[in-house]
Amino acid sequence: MDIILHLGGNPIRAAKAAELALQYPDATVVISSEGGDHGLSYYDAAGIDRSRITVDMQAWDTVTNFTHTYKLLRRLGITRLFVVTDSSHMPRALAIAEQVWGGRVPIEGHSYQDGDAYKTSDATHIKIDTWRAWMWRRLGILPYWISVRQERSGFVSTERHSFLELGF
């Protein structure tokens, strides 16, 4: 099954995800967010049936967008992953996705806007988050910053998504 993974944080990303959902009518949309406006109005306006949409509010950053939806996507029978986010956020999102999924499924990035410049300051975030995703996949350890989790977690799940979660 094709999965359209709409990374939360900016509801306008839903416009691109809804466009993909129209292009791939058998795909399931998974919105991974820490809360707030998921952009469901974009899906409604595009005529996307809500039964095709799953909202998962367990993530609090880009790494957990992927690690916390991993089991869900496997249960759905993922065969291909479409990642939807901002153009400037895409390099980091795809680097993390590759670490989490490690060649198990084809991954395609689809940004809601083109032409955003990749910021060289994001290179550090890419390295750190790629390392965190690598640790999760290979060792079952999820390192994270406690302050970020507390700041962004409207819903804090008691379900463990790794062997060991390390807050710094």
Side-chain angles (χ1 to χ4, degrees), residues 24 26 28 45 60 97 105 108 114 139 157:
Y24 298 94
D26 294 331
T28 295
W60 62 84
V105 297
E108 296 180 20
D114 294 320
L139 303 175
S157 172

mmCIF file of all heavy atoms in Angstrom, residues 24 26 28 45 60 97 105 108 114 139 157:
data_model
loop_
_atom_site.group_PDB
_atom_site.id
_atom_site.type_symbol
_atom_site.label_atom_id
_atom_site.label_comp_id
_atom_site.label_asym_id
_atom_site.label_seq_id
_atom_site.Cartn_x
_atom_site.Cartn_y
_atom_site.Cartn_z
ATOM 1 N N TYR A 24 -3.174 9.308 -6.261
ATOM 2 C CA TYR A 24 -3.059 7.910 -5.857
ATOM 3 C C TYR A 24 -4.275 7.547 -5.005
ATOM 4 O O TYR A 24 -4.196 7.535 -3.770
ATOM 5 C CB TYR A 24 -1.759 7.671 -5.077
ATOM 6 C CG TYR A 24 -0.527 7.948 -5.900
ATOM 7 C CD1 TYR A 24 0.096 9.191 -5.853
ATOM 8 C CD2 TYR A 24 -0.006 6.968 -6.747
ATOM 9 C CE1 TYR A 24 1.224 9.454 -6.629
ATOM 10 C CE2 TYR A 24 1.108 7.220 -7.521
ATOM 11 C CZ TYR A 24 1.718 8.466 -7.461
ATOM 12 O OH TYR A 24 2.821 8.718 -8.229
ATOM 13 N N ASP A 26 -5.735 4.937 -4.085
ATOM 14 C CA ASP A 26 -5.688 3.797 -3.165
ATOM 15 C C ASP A 26 -4.734 4.035 -1.995
ATOM 16 O O ASP A 26 -4.602 3.174 -1.119
ATOM 17 C CB ASP A 26 -5.276 2.521 -3.911
ATOM 18 C CG ASP A 26 -6.326 2.086 -4.925
ATOM 19 O OD1 ASP A 26 -7.521 2.376 -4.691
ATOM 20 O OD2 ASP A 26 -5.952 1.485 -5.942
ATOM 21 N N THR A 28 -3.157 5.604 1.461
ATOM 22 C CA THR A 28 -3.617 6.049 2.765
ATOM 23 C C THR A 28 -2.780 7.246 3.187
ATOM 24 O O THR A 28 -1.565 7.259 2.993
ATOM 25 C CB THR A 28 -3.469 4.918 3.811
ATOM 26 O OG1 THR A 28 -4.342 3.854 3.439
ATOM 27 C CG2 THR A 28 -3.812 5.389 5.205
ATOM 28 N N ALA A 45 -11.711 19.907 1.223
ATOM 29 C CA ALA A 45 -11.898 20.699 0.006
ATOM 30 C C ALA A 45 -11.552 19.907 -1.247
ATOM 31 O O ALA A 45 -12.159 20.099 -2.300
ATOM 32 C CB ALA A 45 -11.062 21.977 0.073
ATOM 33 N N TRP A 60 7.006 14.442 18.186
ATOM 34 C CA TRP A 60 7.280 15.795 18.659
ATOM 35 C C TRP A 60 8.415 16.439 17.870
ATOM 36 O O TRP A 60 8.750 17.588 18.107
ATOM 37 C CB TRP A 60 7.576 15.821 20.156
ATOM 38 C CG TRP A 60 8.786 15.033 20.566
ATOM 39 C CD1 TRP A 60 10.084 15.462 20.530
ATOM 40 C CD2 TRP A 60 8.818 13.692 21.049
ATOM 41 N NE1 TRP A 60 10.915 14.464 20.965
ATOM 42 C CE2 TRP A 60 10.162 13.369 21.301
ATOM 43 C CE3 TRP A 60 7.839 12.733 21.296
ATOM 44 C CZ2 TRP A 60 10.552 12.127 21.780
ATOM 45 C CZ3 TRP A 60 8.234 11.509 21.782
ATOM 46 C CH2 TRP A 60 9.565 11.222 22.022
ATOM 47 N N ALA A 97 14.191 9.522 6.921
ATOM 48 C CA ALA A 97 13.370 8.433 6.367
ATOM 49 C C ALA A 97 14.246 7.290 5.874
ATOM 50 O O ALA A 97 13.937 6.113 6.105
ATOM 51 C CB ALA A 97 12.491 8.959 5.231
ATOM 52 N N VAL A 105 11.444 0.113 1.762
ATOM 53 C CA VAL A 105 10.412 0.599 0.842
ATOM 54 C C VAL A 105 10.976 1.779 0.049
ATOM 55 O O VAL A 105 11.832 2.504 0.552
ATOM 56 C CB VAL A 105 9.128 1.053 1.579
ATOM 57 C CG1 VAL A 105 8.461 -0.103 2.314
ATOM 58 C CG2 VAL A 105 9.388 2.206 2.517
ATOM 59 N N GLU A 108 9.750 8.639 -1.651
ATOM 60 C CA GLU A 108 9.720 9.809 -2.534
ATOM 61 C C GLU A 108 9.365 11.038 -1.711
ATOM 62 O O GLU A 108 8.456 10.983 -0.899
ATOM 63 C CB GLU A 108 8.656 9.651 -3.624
ATOM 64 C CG GLU A 108 8.899 8.535 -4.586
ATOM 65 C CD GLU A 108 7.798 8.453 -5.641
ATOM 66 O OE1 GLU A 108 7.075 9.451 -5.853
ATOM 67 O OE2 GLU A 108 7.659 7.372 -6.232
ATOM 68 N N ASP A 114 8.012 24.787 -4.080
ATOM 69 C CA ASP A 114 9.322 24.586 -4.683
ATOM 70 C C ASP A 114 10.117 25.873 -4.587
ATOM 71 O O ASP A 114 9.559 26.958 -4.505
ATOM 72 C CB ASP A 114 9.190 24.154 -6.141
ATOM 73 C CG ASP A 114 8.547 22.780 -6.260
ATOM 74 O OD1 ASP A 114 8.869 21.909 -5.441
ATOM 75 O OD2 ASP A 114 7.740 22.599 -7.165
ATOM 76 N N LEU A 139 19.984 0.135 17.064
ATOM 77 C CA LEU A 139 20.216 -0.209 18.460
ATOM 78 C C LEU A 139 18.946 -0.166 19.318
ATOM 79 O O LEU A 139 18.986 -0.554 20.478
ATOM 80 C CB LEU A 139 21.265 0.740 19.065
ATOM 81 C CG LEU A 139 22.618 0.785 18.334
ATOM 82 C CD1 LEU A 139 23.516 1.836 18.959
ATOM 83 C CD2 LEU A 139 23.279 -0.576 18.331
ATOM 84 N N SER A 157 2.593 9.978 24.773
ATOM 85 C CA SER A 157 2.209 8.577 24.820
ATOM 86 C C SER A 157 3.053 7.832 25.842
ATOM 87 O O SER A 157 4.235 8.121 26.016
ATOM 88 C CB SER A 157 2.416 7.953 23.442
ATOM 89 O OG SER A 157 2.233 6.571 23.491
#
